[in-house]
Amino acid sequence: MPWTLDKINLWSILQNWLFLTLLPAFIFWIIARVMSYRHAQSLAAREAMTPRPRLTTLKHPPEGYGNPVIVSANVVISHSKTRVFAILWRRMIGGNVPILERMVNRARREAILRLEEEITARHADLLVNLRFTSHNLGTSSGRSLGVEVVAYGTALQKIQ
């Protein structure tokens, strides 16, 4: 039976499109926002803990520290698929992409916290020569899927 224009009910097509496309996208967007908010709250709570080791970007340690050990921590964070549209739109317009900036900021904070946990596990008191490396995780089409942040440095113990 041939498909004719007079048999199309545009309102039912629009309803199906809204129900099958926009509703799941909205639900996934809400879930991604909640997960991002919970991760930010977790970072803030972990950062508020008082006994944190000192971190510095100095290349040479101060006097009284020894037993150097190289420590590192890495984090991979990706954004939700629902944010791809906003990222692509912002890249077409130009300028900063706030979604990606927040993602990289969260990744750096998480890497620092994991590095501090590693330093504490090794019973060190100070980290010198703190460095960050970040890698964009993308596909062959150039879309950004996420970011990997590696934090590393040299942990030192206080010599009595």
Side-chain angles (χ1 to χ4, degrees), residues 13-115:
I13 292 174
L14 181 63
Q15 284 177 333
N16 289 338
W17 179 77
L18 288 172
F19 182 72
L20 296 175
T21 306
L22 289 184
L23 184 64
F26 180 72
I27 290 170
F28 289 131
W29 179 76
I30 293 291
I31 291 170
R33 293 285 295 193
V34 168
M35 290 175 65
S36 176
Y37 177 77
R38 285 185 181 169
H39 186 237
Q41 293 297 318
S42 168
L43 288 174
R46 288 168 52 203
E47 288 171 344
M49 294 173 36
T50 49
R52 294 176 64 185
R54 292 187 319 160
L55 307 176
T56 179
T57 58
L58 295 174
K59 289 188 179 186
H60 303 290
E63 294 295 323
Y65 288 92
N67 301 330
V69 177
I70 295 176
V71 292
S72 67
N74 68 324
V75 177
V76 176
I77 294 184
S78 66
H79 56 271
S80 66
K81 296 293 183 185
T82 57
R83 294 184 181 177
V84 171
F85 178 74
I87 292 169
L88 292 176
W89 179 256
R90 186 63 180 192
R91 283 188 175 169
M92 285 188 331
I93 294 172
N96 293 342
V97 183
I99 293 172
L100 295 178
E101 289 176 2
R102 286 192 302 265
M103 182 175 60
V104 171
N105 186 23
R106 279 188 16 237
R108 286 175 57 104
R109 288 172 60 196
E110 180 72 34
I112 287 175
L113 288 171
R114 289 184 185 183
L115 191 63

Side-chain angles (χ1 to χ4, degrees), residues 81-151:
K81 296 293 183 185
T82 57
R83 294 184 181 177
V84 171
F85 178 74
I87 292 169
L88 292 176
W89 179 256
R90 186 63 180 192
R91 283 188 175 169
M92 285 188 331
I93 294 172
N96 293 342
V97 183
I99 293 172
L100 295 178
E101 289 176 2
R102 286 192 302 265
M103 182 175 60
V104 171
N105 186 23
R106 279 188 16 237
R108 286 175 57 104
R109 288 172 60 196
E110 180 72 34
I112 287 175
L113 288 171
R114 289 184 185 183
L115 191 63
E116 288 175 348
E117 291 170 0
E118 180 70 21
I119 293 167
T120 305
R122 295 187 181 262
H123 305 291
D125 303 307
L126 174 70
L127 182 99
V128 294
N129 202 19
L130 173 64
R131 299 289 184 255
F132 289 99
T133 316
S134 62
H135 305 281
N136 185 22
L137 303 176
T139 62
S140 60
S141 64
R143 289 184 6 209
S144 175
L145 294 177
V147 65
E148 177 186 20
V149 174
V150 180

